Amino acid sequence: WKRLLFEIIQTTSVEASPVTVQLEPEDPKLFEHPFSVLVGDGPITNLSDQAVRQLERYLNYGGFLLIDDAGGTGEGPFAASVRQLCGRIFPTRPVAPLPADHAVYRSFFMLQRPVGRTLGPGVLDGVTTGPTTPLIFCGADLSGALDRSPSGHDRFPVVPGGMQQRREALKLGVNLVLYALTSNYKHDTAHTLELMREGRLE
């Protein structure tokens, strides 16, 4: 994910510090970070009610969580546990495939489909609340496509598309970060125009 932060700095106008932080979901410092990632390839277990309550607050207060399937299939025990976790955080909001015209596919780059280390299921799933989607599930192992060894070499092969697919995965990562930071910009713009029409904003 440091690689993606460098990509964000080099490709966009977003100012970022290329430092990653690991936190427990109960840690109050979670609220200091607008973009968070949960990566796994086995069932998510033993997540306390306190952790779930804090994740709920974090996501409702503007935070963003990407859940990435390191198995690269979007299926199996990890995916099943992700859906159970989402049900605990958003009991009235189902996890569902994001439509092809969702803003995450065009927040910076125009993307045809999400890819990572694998092609995955070909769609991103998410939980949408109002105008935003604060939680997105990627089944293609985006982390694996980004990961580098200490020597700076790519740690895992990307299949079947090689370097071109890795580049598309980097674009997806950029889009996810830009979406997390600007997901409600159209909603906010509409609100601003309404205030201007009412003469309350110049």
Side-chain angles (χ1 to χ4, degrees):
W1 290 95
K2 290 181 181 179
R3 177 182 193 171
L4 180 61
L5 289 170
F6 278 114
E7 189 78 15
I8 293 290
I9 294 168
Q10 294 170 359
T11 306
T12 76
S13 60
V14 173
E15 296 182 4
S17 173
V19 177
T20 59
V21 180
Q22 292 188 11
L23 297 172
E24 297 292 335
E26 297 93 341
D27 194 328
K29 292 182 180 178
L30 180 65
F31 291 90
E32 299 174 8
H33 306 278
F35 184 90
S36 57
V37 184
L38 171 63
V39 183
D41 60 0
I44 302 170
T45 59
N46 301 323
L47 204 62
S48 68
D49 290 341
Q50 178 186 351
V52 172
R53 285 194 300 270
Q54 175 148 298
L55 285 172
E56 179 185 7
R57 289 196 300 272
Y58 170 75
L59 296 172
N60 284 325
Y61 292 170
F64 177 88
L65 175 62
L66 170 68
I67 304 180
D68 191 29
D69 180 4
T73 66
E75 302 175 351
F78 178 71
S81 67
V82 166
R83 286 173 171 77
Q84 290 175 355
L85 172 61
C86 292
R88 293 176 67 190
I89 299 173
F90 298 105
T92 63
R93 304 279 182 174
V95 181
L98 301 183
D101 63 348
H102 193 280
V104 72
Y105 295 125
R106 48 189 170 83
S107 57
F108 193 80
F109 295 105
M110 297 294 291
L111 301 180
Q112 297 300 314
R113 60 164 290 165
V115 297
R117 179 183 58 80
T118 71
L119 292 178
V123 296
L124 297 171
D125 291 336
V127 178
T128 298
T129 61
T132 65
T133 305
L135 186 152
I136 290 179
F137 175 52
C138 175
D141 188 18
L142 177 59
S143 303
L146 300 175
D147 200 10
R148 280 179 168 165
S149 66
S151 65
H153 294 93
D154 294 320
R155 191 181 296 272
F156 303 109
V158 170
V159 293
M163 287 306 299
Q164 178 59 31
Q165 184 175 322
R166 196 183 302 276
R167 183 60 199 163
E168 291 300 306
L170 277 166
K171 290 180 181 179
L172 173 60
V174 171
N175 274 30
L176 285 162
V177 172
L178 267 291
Y179 177 76
L181 297 177
T182 64
S183 58
N184 61 351
Y185 78 98
K186 288 186 177 179
H187 178 72
D188 287 346
T189 300
H191 181 60
T192 299
L193 290 173
E194 182 63 28
L195 290 175
M196 292 175 69
R197 279 195 292 268
E198 293 177 1
R200 292 191 284 157
L201 184 68
E202 297 181 359

